[in-house]
Amino acid sequence: GKQLLEKSVDIKLRGLNLLQLAEFMKQVESGGPHVVVISRLYVRTRFNQHDQLDAEMTVSTFERGKAEKPKGPGGKPPRGEKS
């Protein structure tokens, strides 16, 4: 079958409240025709403003890649197949 290729980007957000963060995440995951997921999320409160959050996340999308042909020993195609 075809492989899924992951493309991702790291995003840092500073000084948000919880509602702003939730709305941003909702828009990221539902804002377009492609499958987009937040694959990593780290949230912490700001040192001097405990009602504010800093967040780091990895946002990923996937696309179908070409299927790789099976390879035999030494990385060569099995007998009778061309690469």
Side-chain angles (χ1 to χ4, degrees):
K2 293 186 177 185
Q3 292 183 333
L4 290 178
L5 302 175
E6 179 180 359
K7 293 185 179 183
S8 59
V9 63
D10 293 326
I11 298 173
K12 294 181 181 181
L13 303 169
R14 302 285 182 244
L16 301 167
N17 65 41
L18 186 58
L19 183 61
Q20 290 170 319
L21 178 59
E23 185 61 29
F24 177 81
M25 292 170 60
K26 179 181 172 184
Q27 290 295 321
V28 165
E29 290 193 332
S30 63
H34 301 289
V35 175
V36 177
V37 296
I38 296 171
S39 54
R40 183 185 66 83
L41 176 64
Y42 177 70
V43 180
R44 64 183 168 272
T45 58
R46 298 200 76 151
F47 175 74
N48 57 347
Q49 296 173 302
H50 296 292
D51 60 334
Q52 297 290 301
L53 304 171
D54 292 339
E56 297 178 17
M57 64 185 74
T58 302
V59 177
S60 302
T61 187
F62 301 88
E63 65 181 41
R64 294 193 189 274
K66 293 183 179 179
E68 284 190 21
K69 292 185 179 181
K71 294 186 178 180
K76 296 181 179 178
R79 285 185 180 215
E81 289 190 25
K82 295 183 180 180
S83 55

